[in-house]
């Protein structure tokens, strides 16, 4: 007795389930405009910043321009992942391309960590031989950077809680706003005190703050890449829920993993008490409960009688996993 049910909203027309699925499915679509605006704003700003950084010989501005360029790439990547995730499944990719969003979050985290490492390395070199620069130009250009990056970060702020991919884009932008703020403060203190060493010191401090903020994105995306259970899903509670279904006396081969940053899948074998148990009712309730409590929309459940389950155990789980 194997039964597969996918996308719970198709099976039950009840309000809650449908709404839940609806909000899940269309969350990334609202960010199309945010991605377009963010990419355009940042691409224009990179050109301006690189030109002035080169003209006045400011490492902080040039480093910031390089970092902003990686931001444009990060936004393109995150947007591409959202679009790829929408592609329909086919016979070659039976899950579709949803995992692209996890991969994008991971690459975004790695790029940020590498960018901060190189910024720190360069700053350490500049500390040994600070170079003069133009304070006012630094302040003006980086000031525009704060506005551009903060505005872009705010576009993604709403989605950064529920979707790791959108969170990657948001973190990238928020990090840049911080770097630009550091450049402004450095430029102001340079004008006031003439401390050329402040430019690299600010760069080091900012790099440290951003690495600290990016670490959880890196850890979570790596966890999901290796089919880890998504944060916020308690396996003990999932097992309890399945065991609590009417007529179910055992659960084995339970797996939960992320298909993408907004889609969670589950497979499990449920052992029924006997042949009189209404399997349709068990499946219906399992789907509804998993959907409502854990947001799991892709559940595949195998219903077994005790005799078959025992046969499975005797074979040490071969073919039953």
């Amino acid at each position: 007795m194997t039964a597969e049910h996918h996308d719970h909203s198709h099976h039950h027309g009840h309000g809650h389930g449908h709404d839940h699925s609806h909000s899940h499915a269309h969350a990334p679509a609202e960010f199309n405009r945010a991605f377009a605006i963010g990419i355009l704003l940042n691409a224009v700003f990179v050109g301006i910043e690189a030109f002035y950084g080169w003209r006045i010989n400011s490492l902080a501005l040039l480093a910031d321009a390089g970092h902003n360029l990686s931001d444009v790439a990060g936004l393109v990547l995150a947007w591409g992942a959202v679009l790829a995730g929408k592609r329909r499944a086919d016979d070659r990719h039976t899950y579709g391309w949803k995992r692209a969003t996890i991969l994008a979050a991971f690459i975004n985290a790695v790029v940020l960590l590498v960018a901060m490492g190189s910024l720190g390395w360069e700053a350490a070199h500049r500390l040994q031989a600070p170079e003069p620069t133009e304070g006012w130009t630094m302040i003006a250009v980086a000031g525009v950077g704060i506005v551009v990056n903060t505005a872009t970060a705010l576009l993604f702020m709403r989605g950064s809680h529920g979707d790791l991919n959108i969170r990657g884009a948001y973190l990238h932008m928020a990090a840049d706003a911080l770097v630009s703020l550091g450049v402004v403060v450095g430029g102001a203190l340079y004008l006031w005190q003439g401390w050329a060493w402040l430019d690299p010191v600010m760069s080091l401090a900012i790099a440290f703050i951003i690495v600290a903020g990016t670490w959880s994105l890196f850890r979570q995306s790596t966890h999901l890449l290796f089919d880890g259970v998504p944060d916020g899903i308690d396996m003990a509670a999932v097992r309890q829920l399945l065991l609590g279904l009417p007529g179910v006396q055992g659960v084995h081969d339970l797996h939960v993993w992320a298909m993408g940053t907004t889609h969670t899948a589950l497979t499990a074998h449920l052992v029924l008490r006997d042949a009189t148990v209404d399997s349709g009712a068990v499946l219906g309730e399992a789907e509804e409960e998993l959907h409502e409590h854990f947001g799991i929309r892709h559940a595949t459940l195998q219903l077994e009688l005790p005799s078959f389950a025992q046969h499975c155990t005797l074979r040490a789980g071969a073919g039953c996993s």
Side-chain angles (χ1 to χ4, degrees), residues 19 38 108 220 225 301:
D19 283 345
N108 246 325
Q220 276 181 283
L225 270 183
L301 301 166

Side-chain angles (χ1 to χ4, degrees), residues 225-242:
L225 270 183
F226 286 93
D227 288 329
V229 178
D231 282 9
I233 291 187
D234 176 1
M235 283 299 276
V238 172
R239 199 173 278 109
Q240 255 339 97
L241 186 151
L242 294 173

Side-chain angles (χ1 to χ4, degrees), residues 24 56 117 166 177 211 289:
H24 255 284
I56 66 166
I166 300 292
V211 165
E289 297 281 314

Side-chain angles (χ1 to χ4, degrees), residues 27-28 30-39 42 67-82 100-112 148-178 210 213-214 216-218 220-221 261:
E30 300 159 14
F31 294 102
N32 278 340
R33 208 183 52 165
F35 279 120
I37 295 169
I39 289 166
N42 281 276
H67 189 207
N68 271 307
L69 188 60
S70 82
D71 266 12
V72 176
L75 283 176
V76 170
L77 181 78
W79 196 9
V82 168
T101 51
I102 300 175
L103 201 55
F106 173 74
I107 295 171
N108 246 325
V110 170
V111 167
L112 256 178
V148 168
N149 291 311
T150 304
T152 316
L154 288 174
L155 292 172
F156 295 105
M157 191 170 167
R158 204 164 38 87
S160 67
H161 306 299
D163 184 344
L164 208 60
N165 182 37
I166 300 292
R167 183 157 162 239
Y170 167 73
L171 264 180
H172 231 126
M173 292 300 144
D176 264 18
L178 255 184
I210 294 169
T214 310
S216 75
L217 178 70
F218 177 72
Q220 276 181 283
S221 54
T261 51

Side-chain angles (χ1 to χ4, degrees), residues 74-273:
L75 283 176
V76 170
L77 181 78
W79 196 9
V82 168
L83 297 177
K86 286 189 186 323
R87 284 193 57 174
R88 297 194 73 83
D90 57 29
D91 283 351
R92 273 181 63 72
H93 296 95
T94 55
Y95 277 137
W97 293 74
K98 292 184 178 67
R99 186 158 290 212
T101 51
I102 300 175
L103 201 55
F106 173 74
I107 295 171
N108 246 325
V110 170
V111 167
L112 256 178
L113 292 171
V114 170
M116 289 304 100
S118 57
L119 178 62
W121 181 259
E122 194 55 50
H125 276 288
R126 281 297 270 270
L127 261 177
Q128 291 155 14
E131 296 178 27
T133 180
E134 288 179 30
W136 281 118
T137 312
M138 278 173 73
I139 290 170
V141 178
V144 175
I146 295 176
V147 176
V148 168
N149 291 311
T150 304
T152 316
L154 288 174
L155 292 172
F156 295 105
M157 191 170 167
R158 204 164 38 87
S160 67
H161 306 299
D163 184 344
L164 208 60
N165 182 37
I166 300 292
R167 183 157 162 239
Y170 167 73
L171 264 180
H172 231 126
M173 292 300 144
D176 264 18
L178 255 184
V179 172
S180 297
L181 179 65
V183 174
V184 168
V185 172
L189 285 167
Y190 176 71
L191 281 173
W192 177 45
Q193 293 284 3
W195 292 337
W197 53 266
L198 204 75
D199 181 25
V201 166
M202 289 302 288
S203 302
L204 275 174
I206 289 159
F208 181 76
I209 292 167
I210 294 169
V211 165
T214 310
W215 191 250
S216 75
L217 178 70
F218 177 72
R219 186 190 56 76
Q220 276 181 283
S221 54
T222 308
H223 177 69
L224 293 187
L225 270 183
F226 286 93
D227 288 329
V229 178
D231 282 9
I233 291 187
D234 176 1
M235 283 299 276
V238 172
R239 199 173 278 109
Q240 255 339 97
L241 186 151
L242 294 173
L243 277 171
L245 293 168
V248 171
Q249 69 170 30
V251 174
H252 63 103
D253 293 299
L254 172 61
H255 303 281
V256 176
W257 72 100
M259 293 157 65
T261 51
T262 55
H263 290 76
T264 304
L266 172 147
T267 58
H269 294 214
L270 304 182
V271 183
L272 302 181
R273 192 176 54 241

